[in-house]
């Protein structure tokens, strides 16, 4: 009666986690660095989803952005440059119970880690991958990254980067077995939150390309985008990122885009006049390698011993 | 006592006589018309694709079943499909079998069945044969339509005779034709049949093996192969003048299994309770993963084939960090790629088993061949000080057991462990006692109970450097693993004290492990003129060589190291009992007397174990090592020992 | 003689008096009111972003210009922008300058200017100061609105006084306010001015440097900074009681340059005629590429920033194979990734220069800090036997010259060459003689004449292993390079002979190189009680420590190795002149007496050079090494030497 | 007169190279291996273009297909597994005069070499890259490769490969700065020849995906395509691969496709009913990193010495 569940005892959470429960050491990025905002968004999502800190693992490579795990009060793995994805997949492989977040930079993921990037997308294991794209190598002090715009002056290309830059959203969309690609910006916290939140709900690997400000080295590269929200049209759709109307209003351009339409996503991402943000593509039906890797996970010890005996028997003479 | 054919070049019509269920000789005991011998070395050499290895494997298996000691070595061509009748393309197998336990490939072969004459040249270069080795040689090439082939055959025959081999040309292919239209595919079973008669193997066992192997392909295939087997038996009995041999069986107490080293690694992985092998294919390590991929699910394990060796290592480290100690199996070039992540695993203390099945090196080198060249890279490959346990398997049994040991050390000492094996063990086949696996071999289920309050993630014991390890999921144990210098709390640190302390704690773990080890057993007396120190797959050959010299009254002993880092204790004391200490290894070294150059002499670069012993034990350490790409024979080692003893003026 | 302020906490209105064009003291010679001293060590320590390093660099440069010996070391925070007033975030510089050539950072500082008190703690931990060190400390924190800051300041002051430092609190920021609204950005020039007065530096030179550095930012910025400089001079003159110092100049014959080791590497690359540096950014190596990227086109060179270290190495190898010997510059983690391709370069004999600017290790370790941990990895990192020359720079001059040498060896010996430097050399700044570069330093144009008929691509000389090398484009020289075992014709080979021969030829090249080397010079007498052996950037500190001990009558000498593989000859003879031989290194080792464990003792793992010397020279090799993350001071080494001598009962 | 050139002396080639001039050691692939055909095509093109053998360099990684350089009588570099592309780019970097061919396998390029693949395409250096795609690891005896179809049984996946396979043509089309992508099959020598010939004329990196039969391990995977040419529709266009009409006739399906249309190429490659062959995309205007790398190549020694003196002077005190 009155719509109460038959078992009407209240679902009292045995533990309730506050925002602070996810806060690790004091974050040490430059003032104004976009990384702070992403950290906050992740902490908020963990809190809102009430994921126990001990069941959460933040994995990263090396770079400014890869410091993120240190600032979370969860398990963390601050790996090697470029190797966040294989490590994260290994962690997830036999621990489907863990929630895995990956923090990686434009150098970490798209340069030294590129081979893993393409394959991790194929594996499509269940985790959120956050690409912090500041168009530069931050930690090592301003070298060209694959996303550095041609002509931008860096310490390794003082006359301007030479090779056409790579758009991680576009390139990821072209990878085999891709199942979730979104783009967002660090300077719009609600959009950032909503995007990461959607990613965290996705079953499979959700790749989130975050345009991230680095006031220290690339202070101006996103200035225009920031000042003129018309340049970052909002992708809208019932299956896309849902924004509070007040926030959505900030963006003068809305563009309806069905995230199940891969071809449309490909066209959308090629536009060079604007940088659309939102969910480009999602397909929950893509196979997840998690299924393969978890084979035998629940096997009882006696069964294992029996299997082992069989294997030994096979060689008996 | 060479085997002689009754009549040369006669394809007698062979009828089947050894009925199934009986030994090829028709009897189970040595009989009057049998020559009793202690051991024999047989080779089957052919073009790749002719099935020589399969025939040899069956021969080895039935010999083991009959209670003989067995050691088989595969002769592997380096190319997928080398052209036929090519010298480098020889594919084959050597089987050494006898009354005692066989521990190595032995010296020169007693008998060789060759399906063409060209494939023998590579073996000759490796000194596989000597005066008196009997060659049973396919004779069809003598009448080949191609005059070049006929010429090559004739030239080879001359060469063989010149070398003193006893050559019997036999029309094996012709004899097979009665049973198959494609003798290239069935001749191997015919050869097996011949060998079964010559060495009085139990034909029933052979037929059972054929059934087991070809069963999947249908009854017709089985029947055809069994018919060829029987034809071979009959052919040999009719064609060969000599009495067959009888090799008395051993007394074996334990039940035994027959397998190669890579299969043993696979069993070791399963017996250790390792759930994930994360690998990237590379010869000669891959077959271990093939084996596992087929059976792993029996124990709930999974093989992950990664996109490259770096990813394989990263995946394994992730898996281990999350509580499931993983294993990665590779060979030299793959180990090289894992260097950076291995350094991370040492630094952050991630338990992990890394198996390196060594091959000919450096670089791509000799992918299918035997070498022990990765010892120093395993110890010192990572920039900075990265102490870690390094073990080496000396036998096929070790491949299984040391894998289990490695997992235990990895977890107890919170460290990656490298286990070295090599191409010799990888494909060598031998009977070994069946291990009695109990539940405690398997890794325990991961601890998910709350982490003890106040214990930090690197709560190093000041003496041993050991610390308990929080596993993700353990409430209160949250920490961030990092390859940066860190404190006990795993916080990034930049100060001298933390850096020095971390280095010390990691180093102390090796000392702690060493304190649990016992001195290696001395093979031979504790005092003498010469002590040979070895490691890895040379064990059997070294001990056999030492036995021979000792049988001649020489004061020679040997020790074999399974732990290379840390080394087993007591070496200084052991070494002090001998006038000279030398290592024997399969790796490159300059001659100990140095290299002549411009009239003068430049000091030689020592072999790898010798280098380690000089550093860790000190004193004069002599060495002998070569890189032939194949295992050392007992005779080669024996000759070296005798030379060294002559230097010492004791012979 | 500590510097004392005239009156504490008084911001006197400072007017400019040392007019441009004159030394801050207004005179060019030591005067009655100056204290003449031989050398001084000064530090400026501040938050990152406050420009301490810039001020110190200018101070060093003008000191060099005035004819003083100079050594500067940067104090680098590990993070991009550490929070202000943080202990780990100290950013700064030490300048040691004096009448003689300065070869290392020296012991404790004489005077420190600190912009806040917290940044001093890291330095204190590193024992950078001692009783009597004068601290000129920004006093504004005393009155900070935040009570926590005030408290921290007070606590620190107490600590400093307890340590025996002479602390002068000075309102530097306040004094700057007259010239700038943002003293955080200009205070460094004010500090420079103070130091100019105290050490009587030529203010004109300082103003010129300011002009050179800030010129691009416009006249206003230059004027502001010059005004701050002058204000600092005046402030010091008025505030400090003590007479200023006079440090007599050296007699310098050669014209000199002032630069750091990474810049020297860049110049070396250019002077060697290397056209391509293929790299991936990594601290502390990257600044060499930054430097090159800016100037390389002056000599027609190009920096290739690859997608990772493996690609950087592959690209360099390709470039070298095609005739343009390339260079790749990296640090430990990058070296680890290059391991596999390095093995290929050794195997296939590709000339190549690999520079490893070592940093704190293992793994990611201490990226900005000093260590010499990569020696063994450089020698033994590759699976299999991969002999290659390994050189180590001991000075900034070496960074330039050994790069040129490395390119020559690489080409003459057809081999990759590793050159080791470290974070100490990388950012240390020193005046060195300007090299006289001639055309023959540059690589000659590549040979495109037809290849000599009948000469095979690996036409190894039986004694030296050397062979001429066909360059693509040379008609008739076509061959296929491979990492597989190969013959002289570069044909893939699987036989024992080819494999052994290739190994031998590659090894012989090291012996041949060794035969061209001369024994290292002994610093001190040829006979004595103790010989110190070092390598790399510790040279200056070791020799200074040895000099001190010798001045006290101790029989101590030292040798420093620039060649680690092959080692310079004659070491056995040199060592035999001493009762004890020990290495001094910045890397981890267990104590030589071993590790105490469970009551017993486990043998210690030696430092890396000690290990090599034990293997190559033999005999007892003692060692002392630590991993503080920063350079060793002469005093530290001196204390160790005296301890060892005491053991020998000679003190 | 009579249309003769003013300078009517005949252009006699000082050397004429025959097919045999490009033949190296006896090729050692399995009988029926598709690699033979590719080798022949390369040798024919070299002959037809009369590229001096000493000016030609064949670069490869490790694998069956990577043995190709050994069978050419030109300069060759049989590199390491996965590293063909960085090595080839290095070779080309300061030697624009050399003609570079790259032979790489589906494992070599798309698995261990994937990070270099994506970046070499970005560099767009002038060379022909031949991807020998036999859907398997050949040399190491039948392990799963990234192009192995799901369900195909291999030695590492005896119950069938698990992860969706990657189509190298499709993925390459999605890479930044891609300038030439074609697909061909080893069993149609004229198409193979024409495709590689077109690739060798392209300025920039021409990526040619070759479906290659491996009778030893994947004998059946291309059987259907081989038997029914309708399954490999021919892409035709004036700017595409030009085939002899007799050869073109073999293919019942012709599909007009403008290789300058990247979007159309993307759609074409997604078709899962058929495997179109021909030129998918070409854009000669993409920047080539060769331009950057050859800076200063022609500089005279005196100028270099002068530059060096200037650099030294900069540090003078
Ligand atoms: C093997 C290796 N190579 C190079 C480095 C040096 N390194 C550290 S971070 C970094 C790049 C960082 O750039 P990005 O990934 O974009 O991260 P950001 O700092 O911009 O967040 C590099 C090259 C390293 N630590 N390890
Ligand atoms: C670093 C390294 N890892 C692994 C190997 C072993 N290996 C040699 S070839 C090969 C794969 C070959 O497959 P592919 O590239 O498709 O070429 P194919 O033989 O099929 O032509 C592997 C894994 C190696 N040589 N080096
Ligand atoms: S350098 Fe850039 S990315 Fe790094 S912390 Fe500073 S602002 Fe952030
Ligand atoms: S295994 Fe396959 S790819 Fe390799 S040579 Fe044989 S047929 Fe060709
Ligand atoms: Mg970045
Ligand atoms: Mg393949």
């Amino acid at each position: 009666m009155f719509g109460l569940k038959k078992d009407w005892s209240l679902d009292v959470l045995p533990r309730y986690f506050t925002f602070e429960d996810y806060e690790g050491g004091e974050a040490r990025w430059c003032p104004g660095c976009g990384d702070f905002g992403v950290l906050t968004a992740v902490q908020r999502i963990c809190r809102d989803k009430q994921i126990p800190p001990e069941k959460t693992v933040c994995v990263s490579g090396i770079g400014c952005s890869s410091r993120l795990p240190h600032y979370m009060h969860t398990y963390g793995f601050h790996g090697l440059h470029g190797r966040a994805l294989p490590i994260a997949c290994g962690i997830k492989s036999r621990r489907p119970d863990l929630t895995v977040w990956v923090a990686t930079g434009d150098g970490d993921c798209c340069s030294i880690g590129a081979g893993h990037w393409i394959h991790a997308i194929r594996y499509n294991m269940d985790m959120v991958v956050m690409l912090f794209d500041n168009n530069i190598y931050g930690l090592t002090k301003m070298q060209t990254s694959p996303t550095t715009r041609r002509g931008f002056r860096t310490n390794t290309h003082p006359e301007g980067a030479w090779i056409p830059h790579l758009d991680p959203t576009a390139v990821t969309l072209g990878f085999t077995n891709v199942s979730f690609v979104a783009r967002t910006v660090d300077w719009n916290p609600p959009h950032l939150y909503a995007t990461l939140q959607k990613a965290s709900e996705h079953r499979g690997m959700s790749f989130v390309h975050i345009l991230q400000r680095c006031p220290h080295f690339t202070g101006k590269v996103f200035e225009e985008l920031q000042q003129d929200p018309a340049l970052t049209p909002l992708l809208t759709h019932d299956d896309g990122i849902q924004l509070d109307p007040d926030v959505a209003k900030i963006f003068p351009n809305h563009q309806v885009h069905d995230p199940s339409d891969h071809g449309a996503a490909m066209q959308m991402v090629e536009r060079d006049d604007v940088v659309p943000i939102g969910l480009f593509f999602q397909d929950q039906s893509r196979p997840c390698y998690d299924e393969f890797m978890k084979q035998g996970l629940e096997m009882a010890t006696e069964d294992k011993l029996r299997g082992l005996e069989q294997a030994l028997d096979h060689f008996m003479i | 006592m060479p085997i002689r054919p009754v009549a040369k070049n006669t394809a007698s019509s062979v009828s089947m006589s050894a009925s199934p269920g009986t030994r090829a000789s028709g009897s189970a005991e040595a009989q009057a018309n049998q020559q009793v011998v202690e051991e024999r070395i047989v080779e089957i050499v052919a073009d790749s694709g002719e099935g020589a290895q399969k025939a040899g494997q069956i021969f080895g298996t039935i010999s083991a079943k009959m209670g003989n000691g067995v050691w088989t070595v595969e002769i592997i061509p380096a190319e997928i499909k080398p052209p036929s009748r090519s010298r480098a393309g020889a594919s084959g197998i050597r089987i050494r079998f006898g009354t005692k336990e066989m521990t190595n490939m032995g010296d020169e072969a007693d008998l060789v069945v060759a399906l063409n004459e060209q494939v023998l040249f590579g073996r000759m270069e490796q000194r596989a044969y000597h005066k008196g080795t009997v060659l049973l040689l396919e004779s069809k090439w003598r009448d080949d339509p191609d005059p070049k082939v006929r010429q090559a055959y004739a030239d080879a025959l001359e060469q063989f005779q010149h070398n003193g081999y006893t050559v019997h040309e036999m029309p094996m292919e012709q004899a097979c034709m009665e049973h198959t239209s494609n003798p290239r595919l069935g001749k191997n079973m015919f050869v097996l049949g011949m060998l079964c008669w010559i060495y009085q193997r139990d034909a029933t066992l052979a037929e059972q093996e054929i059934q087991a192997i070809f069963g999947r392909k249908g009854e017709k295939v089985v029947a055809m192969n069994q018919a060829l087997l029987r034809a071979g038996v009959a052919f040999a009995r009719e064609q060969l003048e000599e009495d067959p041999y009888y090799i008395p069986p051993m007394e074996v107490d334990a039940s035994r299994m027959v397998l190669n080293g890579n299969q043993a690694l696979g069993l070791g992985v399963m017996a250790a309770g390792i759930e994930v092998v994360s690998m990237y294919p590379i010869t000669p390590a891959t077959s271990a993963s093939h084996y596992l991929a087929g059976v792993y699910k029996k124990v709930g394990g999974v093989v992950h084939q990664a996109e490259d060796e770096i990813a394989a290592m990263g995946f394994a480290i992730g898996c281990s960090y999350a509580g499931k100690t993983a294993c990665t199996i590779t060979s030299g070039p793959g180990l090289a790629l894992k260097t950076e992540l291995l350094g991370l695993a040492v630094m952050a203390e991630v338990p992990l088993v890394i198996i390196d099945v060594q091959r000919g090196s450096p670089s791509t080198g000799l992918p299918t061949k035997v070498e022990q060249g990765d010892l120093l890279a395993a110890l010192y490959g990572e920039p900075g000080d990265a102490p870690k346990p390094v073990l080496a398997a000396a036998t096929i049994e070790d491949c299984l057991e040391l894998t289990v040991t490695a997992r235990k050390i990895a977890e107890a000492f919170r460290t990656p462990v490298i286990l070295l094996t090599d191409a010799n063990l990888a494909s060598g086949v031998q009977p070994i006692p069946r291990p009695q696996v109990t539940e405690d071999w398997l890794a325990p289920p991961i601890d998910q109970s709350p982490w003890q309050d106040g214990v930090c993630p690197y709560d190093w014991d000041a003496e041993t450097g050991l610390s308990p390890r929080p596993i993700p999921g353990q409430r209160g144990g949250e920490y961030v693993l990092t390859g940066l210098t860190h404190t006990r709390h795993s916080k990034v640190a930049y100060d001298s004290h933390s850096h020095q302390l971390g280095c010390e704690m990691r180093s102390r773990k090796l000392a702690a492990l060493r304190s649990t080890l016992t001195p290696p057993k001395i093979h031979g007396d504790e005092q003498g003129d010469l002590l040979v120190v070895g490691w890895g797959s040379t064990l059997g050959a070294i001990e056999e060589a030492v036995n021979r010299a000792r049988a001649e009254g020489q004061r020679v002993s040997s020790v074999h190291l399974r732990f290379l880092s840390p080394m087993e204790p007591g070496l200084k004391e052991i070494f002090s009992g001998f006038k000279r200490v030398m290592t024997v290894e399969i790796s490159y070294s300059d001659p100990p007397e140095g290299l002549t150059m411009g009239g003068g002499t430049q000091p030689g670069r020592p072999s790898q174990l010798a280098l380690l012993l000089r550093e860790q034990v000190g004193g004069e350490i002599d060495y002998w090592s070569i890189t032939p790409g194949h295992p050392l024979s007992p005779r080669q080692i024996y000759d070296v020992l005798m030379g060294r003893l002559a230097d010492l003026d004791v012979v």
Side-chain angles (χ1 to χ4, degrees), chain B residues 425-471:
Chain B
L425 294 170
S427 60
V429 175
Q430 204 196 356
I432 64 168
R434 183 192 209 279
Q436 292 308 319
V437 180
T438 50
E439 198 175 322
D440 59 306
W441 285 42
L442 305 183
I446 59 171
D447 187 357
Q448 291 285 278
S449 64
W451 184 250
Q452 200 189 322
D453 237 32
V455 177
C456 50
Y458 294 95
D459 197 28
W460 294 306
D461 177 72
E463 241 184 30
T464 61
L466 299 180
S467 55
R469 182 168 69 108
I471 304 285

Side-chain angles (χ1 to χ4, degrees), chain A residues 7 37 83 92 131 156 162 175 182 213 216 230 248 251 253 277-278 284 297 299:
Chain A
D7 170 4
R83 315 305 167 196
K92 189 78 186 175
L131 176 74
T156 36
W162 205 92
F175 289 163
R213 289 164 302 170
H216 203 61
F251 299 92
N253 294 341
I277 62 172
Q284 294 266 18
L297 197 51
M299 198 172 209

